[in-house]
Amino acid sequence: MLATLVGFLRDFDKAEEATQEAFAIAAQRWPASGWPANPGAWLTTTARNQAIDRIRRERVLAEKIQLLPVPEAVDDMDEFDDTVIKDERLELIFTCCHPALPLDGQVALTLRALGGLETAEIARAFLVSEPTMKRRLTRAKAKIKATGIPFAVPDAHLLPDRVDAVLAVIYLIYNEGYSGRVDLGAEAIRLGRVLAALLPDEPEAHGLLALMMIHHARRRARFDGEDLVLLDDQDRTLWDTDQIAAARAMLDQAIAMGGREAYVIQAAIASLQTAERIDWPQVAEMYRRLIELTGSPVVELNRAAALAQSGDPTAALHIVDHLDLDGYLYFHSTRADLLRRLGRAGEARAAYRRALELATSTPERRFLTRRLDEL
């Protein structure tokens, strides 16, 4: 809905205001009149009409009004045919991921505009404060407006320069869904399919899609009610084996294209973890390759966890203790687990408590509390 309005208005702020107004009107009318046959179309049309009325009232924009393709207000909201609308969401991603914006602004703005995430949620994904993220979003929207960044999928010769940011956006959207918001996980996979179709010769697009599909195929086994279930304890009969097979085929296709970059490697790691007997030394080696590409301390943390699974928690703890990730929940939970394995119960309790301070979801808090109780 927001993507449609941004495409129509070419203005993020006006599109967000119109979206909010439409939902406010629906909250007033629908309890009395009942839900319309097509709620999405009703909301989109109402928001568009609200935006048009607002622009008409702003006389200082009179000249711009003449340039807008302004339709007449629609009384029967269900007449709006949303089946003929092209996929503005992909256009919106490329608008947000324009190289004129800094990369963190590109990703944050798309998460806000396309994924519908709150500023606080995006801030957690970036490990920054909410005020800092709010400033990034404001600057990004202002730059789009000031520089006239087009709302369109770039021409073919420009696509390679824009792919990295788009892949990062889709992956972060999926990660938010992976934490429990399955609707966003499915949306990220849908966008991944669109991007892979748009870029059929780009191995990283196929690698990312394979990675998300493998993780998504295991989603039903990740939770038991409100309890988080670790990989070793998951009921594999709940995994979507057809989707895993399709993801592996997608991964094979990416490798055949020469894919050796970050998303292809991550997909290979995820594929290894679906084996009946997981080859943890091989997983650790794949993480080592990924570190060479990314230099990411979070990847280093994952490598340490794989080393521990391989039977060397002492080496794993040595790696973890040299990482600067104090504000990252999984740093403390991983460290706590390593200390627990090594019999250092007092230090493990302190690490679990610090992880609890950072936990934001009920399953995470329940899991960490259970671990503390076991100590």
Side-chain angles (χ1 to χ4, degrees):
M1 176 178 170
L2 181 62
T4 299
L5 291 168
V6 172
F8 174 66
L9 297 168
R10 301 298 195 269
D11 187 305
F12 271 95
D13 290 328
K14 283 187 171 59
E16 288 186 327
E17 289 169 1
T19 299
Q20 292 166 2
E21 288 174 358
F23 275 96
I25 292 170
Q28 291 177 338
R29 295 184 184 176
W30 291 3
S33 64
W35 279 51
N38 190 332
W42 192 101
L43 287 164
T44 301
T45 304
T46 299
R48 187 174 61 178
N49 289 338
Q50 288 295 115
I52 292 169
D53 290 342
R54 179 184 289 260
I55 292 173
R56 283 174 172 157
R57 290 195 300 269
E58 296 173 355
R59 296 186 178 278
V60 295
L61 297 178
E63 185 175 335
K64 290 186 178 181
I65 292 174
Q66 302 304 316
L67 302 178
L68 283 174
V70 179
E72 292 300 319
V74 179
D75 292 328
D76 185 356
M77 299 302 178
D78 293 330
E79 291 181 2
F80 187 91
D81 185 3
D82 58 358
T83 63
V84 299
I85 298 177
K86 62 183 184 303
D87 194 346
E88 286 100 343
R89 284 175 288 192
L90 191 61
E91 294 181 336
L92 180 58
I93 286 182
F94 278 107
T95 301
C96 295
C97 298
H98 196 278
L101 302 175
L103 182 57
D104 56 4
Q106 294 173 25
V107 177
L109 183 58
T110 308
L111 283 168
R112 179 72 183 92
L114 188 88
L117 305 189
E118 298 296 333
T119 303
E121 293 175 299
I122 305 171
R124 286 200 301 272
F126 279 94
L127 305 180
V128 299
S129 68
E130 186 173 350
T132 296
M133 184 53 61
K134 185 175 182 179
R135 288 192 293 271
R136 287 184 189 178
L137 288 165
T138 300
R139 286 195 299 266
K141 288 192 288 186
K143 186 149 192 177
I144 287 176
K145 188 173 183 179
T147 59
I149 290 173
F151 182 82
V153 174
D155 293 335
H157 70 284
L158 296 174
L159 280 174
D161 294 334
R162 303 278 290 280
V163 169
D164 286 347
V166 173
L167 291 171
V169 166
I170 294 174
Y171 193 32
L172 279 179
I173 292 174
Y174 181 78
N175 281 338
E176 187 65 28
Y178 191 68
S179 299
R181 298 178 62 171
V182 177
D183 56 335
L184 286 182
E187 173 67 7
I189 290 175
R190 190 197 71 79
L191 290 168
R193 292 186 190 280
V194 173
L195 192 63
L198 182 66
L199 304 173
D201 299 322
E202 173 52 60
E204 282 289 88
H206 293 275
L208 174 60
L209 180 56
L211 171 64
M212 295 189 297
M213 288 172 65
I214 291 172
H215 285 317
H216 208 59
R218 303 195 311 239
R219 68 191 184 280
R220 290 176 56 209
R222 291 188 66 244
F223 297 95
D224 180 9
E226 291 190 337
D227 289 327
L228 182 66
V229 182
L230 299 183
L231 179 62
D232 288 344
D233 301 321
Q234 289 178 10
D235 179 356
R236 293 188 172 216
T237 64
L238 296 175
W239 290 5
D240 186 337
T241 54
D242 289 340
Q243 183 161 299
I244 290 173
R248 285 175 171 166
M250 182 74 64
L251 174 60
D252 290 342
Q253 184 179 354
I255 293 172
M257 293 176 185
R260 300 293 187 275
E261 298 300 314
Y263 291 114
V264 172
I265 292 177
Q266 289 180 77
I269 292 171
S271 180
L272 285 170
Q273 291 175 333
T274 63
E276 186 173 347
R277 292 178 61 86
I278 300 173
D279 186 343
W280 285 109
Q282 179 65 14
V283 171
E285 170 59 20
M286 297 297 285
Y287 274 124
R288 185 193 63 77
R289 296 185 195 178
L290 192 58
I291 292 165
E292 292 177 352
L293 289 172
T294 66
S296 167
V298 173
V299 176
E300 189 77 65
L301 181 68
N302 288 328
R303 175 173 172 263
L307 285 174
Q309 291 288 77
S310 302
D312 197 349
T314 301
L317 182 61
H318 178 75
I319 291 171
V320 170
D321 280 341
H322 286 81
L323 298 177
D324 184 14
L325 289 170
D326 184 62
Y328 187 51
L329 162 65
Y330 299 112
F331 167 77
H332 295 284
S333 62
T334 300
R335 185 169 181 273
D337 182 65
L338 295 174
L339 291 165
R340 178 182 61 83
R341 293 186 187 208
L342 294 169
R344 295 159 62 175
E347 294 172 89
R349 289 190 193 95
Y352 277 129
R353 290 191 187 102
R354 175 61 178 142
L356 264 172
E357 292 174 0
L358 298 170
T360 57
S361 74
T362 298
E364 288 170 343
R365 295 188 63 82
R366 286 171 64 90
F367 173 80
L368 294 168
T369 300
R370 190 165 66 249
R371 281 287 200 240
L372 264 174
D373 291 342
E374 291 171 355
L375 288 172

